[in-house]
Amino acid sequence: MNMAMTFIMCGENKCWSDKEEYNVTKKMIRGCGLYLFTLSFLYSMSSIVPKLETIELCLFPNGVVEIAHNRPKRYNALSPQSYRDWLTAIKWAAECEDVKVAVLTGRGKFYTSGQELQIPDVNEGNVEEEMERRRQTTTDVVSEMIKFPKLLIGAVNGPSIGFGTTTLALCDVVYSVPEANFSTPFMKLGFCAEGCSSVLFPRIMGSSKANEMLLMGRTFTAKELVECGFISRLFPTETFRDTVLGLAGEAANFSTEALRVTKDLIKGIDRDLLEQVNQAEMKALGERMGSSDSVESIMRFLEESAAKKAAKKAKL
């Protein structure tokens, strides 16, 4: 089957993130005499998908966009660049007319291993200003997810830690592989709740389970989070991506306006509250991360991690 026929017959499974391939295919379709038949379809796919350093964006012809954390060798740890890319991706998906449904997922074995911990280099200019910029970016990511106007699906392909876990509560639907686990080790690091988890976790999971995760650092299995309503369904790892993209594609066939209006009815009443919670959490997190006990906790964590890596190398 040539590329032009693949475009027509299998378009819903084809990710057109490569503009050159897209243009070549367009010329081939013209040569096949299919230009008029596909003109409106090609026009709808004319959006240029941003190329990002830490996130892979894949826009499918059916209007589904996949926003994938793409640092698999680092277990999709969230670096400062990761937060900037996340903000760019979610804003673009919200504004792009070709996007009807967004799927947030990860590449590799992890969904995300959470924030990439490091002690700021005091030699790199004004540390306080840099930390404030990072906090503002994180605040903006949460804010964009709060007000995201389209269907947002969380597709957890592996372990999820920290900010990756808290922001799942801002998704409209969450699916997971059975092997995934979920944690928020904030107390271990001297941090505090973020991502609106201080409000959404108790509401979704119930107060006791939410406090086990946020205050006691308990790790939950995917099955446990299905039972408490945090996750909708589990799908086998082998077919997980295709299954979720298929479900997203089905939803993309619905009226875009009907989806928007219904989501507004469901979430509109909480948006102002969640924006306030987001601001309060991030202010508290900034204070916590600058505290002596948090810095000591991070240093201890980094030392323990380095020791584990050294011990692992010694066994090889």
Side-chain angles (χ1 to χ4, degrees), residues 122-135:
V122 295
N123 297 317
E124 293 183 358
N126 192 314
V127 174
E128 289 186 6
E129 287 184 5
E130 174 59 22
M131 296 306 292
E132 177 56 34
R133 281 194 293 269
R134 294 182 185 183
R135 282 193 294 273

Side-chain angles (χ1 to χ4, degrees), residues 71-287:
R71 301 181 75 204
K73 292 182 179 179
R74 299 287 296 174
Y75 303 116
N76 292 330
L78 300 173
S79 65
Q81 184 63 47
S82 299
Y83 287 100
R84 291 192 291 269
D85 286 350
W86 193 338
L87 180 59
T88 298
I90 201 74
K91 291 179 70 173
W92 172 83
E95 296 168 1
C96 178
E97 293 183 0
D98 291 335
V99 173
K100 298 179 180 179
V101 178
V103 176
L104 187 59
T105 190
R107 296 283 186 253
K109 295 181 179 180
F110 272 65
Y111 173 66
T112 171
S113 57
Q115 183 168 328
E116 190 170 61
L117 294 174
Q118 56 185 17
I119 299 298
D121 188 345
V122 295
N123 297 317
E124 293 183 358
N126 192 314
V127 174
E128 289 186 6
E129 287 184 5
E130 174 59 22
M131 296 306 292
E132 177 56 34
R133 281 194 293 269
R134 294 182 185 183
R135 282 193 294 273
Q136 187 58 54
T137 300
T138 306
T139 303
D140 291 345
V141 169
V142 175
S143 181
E144 289 297 327
M145 292 187 69
I146 290 170
K147 62 187 180 184
F148 192 74
K150 304 166 185 178
L151 180 62
L152 180 60
I153 298 173
V156 185
N157 57 296
S160 176
I161 301 173
F163 191 72
T165 298
T166 57
T167 49
L168 287 171
L170 295 168
C171 295
D172 301 305
V173 180
V174 180
Y175 300 121
S176 176
V177 296
E179 300 83 4
N181 53 58
F182 302 77
S183 62
T184 57
F186 301 144
M187 298 303 100
K188 181 177 181 180
L189 299 169
F191 292 174
C192 69
E194 29 84 313
C196 295
S197 58
S198 62
V199 167
L200 293 179
F201 274 25
R203 183 184 296 180
I204 296 170
M205 304 166 64
S207 178
S208 186
K209 281 187 170 62
N211 288 338
E212 270 197 303
M213 180 176 278
L214 293 173
L215 298 178
M216 300 178 70
R218 179 187 163 192
T219 297
F220 282 76
T221 65
K223 183 175 181 294
E224 287 174 316
L225 291 192
V226 169
E227 292 171 350
C228 70
F230 191 92
I231 294 172
S232 177
R233 284 188 281 173
L234 306 180
F235 298 120
T237 303
E238 298 76 17
T239 57
F240 181 71
R241 183 172 183 245
D242 288 342
T243 300
V244 173
L245 289 176
L247 291 169
E250 291 176 8
N253 288 325
F254 299 150
S255 163
T256 304
E257 186 63 11
L259 284 171
R260 184 192 66 77
V261 169
T262 303
K263 179 166 178 173
D264 278 343
L265 290 169
I266 295 170
K267 297 210 166 186
I269 194 171
D270 279 335
R271 284 192 177 122
D272 287 345
L273 169 63
L274 294 181
E275 290 284 10
Q276 293 173 16
V277 171
N278 182 28
Q279 294 294 330
E281 287 179 344
M282 292 309 300
K283 182 177 183 296
L285 182 60
E287 294 170 354

Side-chain angles (χ1 to χ4, degrees), residues 283-310:
K283 182 177 183 296
L285 182 60
E287 294 170 354
R288 281 275 78 230
M289 292 182 72
S291 67
S292 59
D293 62 307
S294 180
V295 172
E296 290 171 4
S297 296
I298 293 172
M299 289 295 295
R300 186 163 53 250
F301 175 85
L302 293 174
E303 290 170 358
E304 291 173 356
S305 296
K308 288 178 181 178
K309 288 180 181 179

Side-chain angles (χ1 to χ4, degrees), residues 7 11-19 21-23 25-26 29 38-49 58-65 92 96-100:
F7 183 84
E12 291 191 358
N13 296 317
K14 180 68 175 173
C15 171
W16 294 94
S17 59
D18 191 313
K19 188 171 185 285
E21 181 183 2
Y22 165 84
N23 288 330
T25 306
K26 180 175 178 178
I29 291 173
T38 59
L39 181 61
S40 62
F41 180 73
L42 286 167
Y43 179 78
S44 72
M45 291 307 298
S46 60
S47 295
I48 304 301
V49 180
C58 194
L59 177 60
F60 295 88
N62 59 5
V64 174
V65 67
W92 172 83
C96 178
E97 293 183 0
D98 291 335
V99 173
K100 298 179 180 179

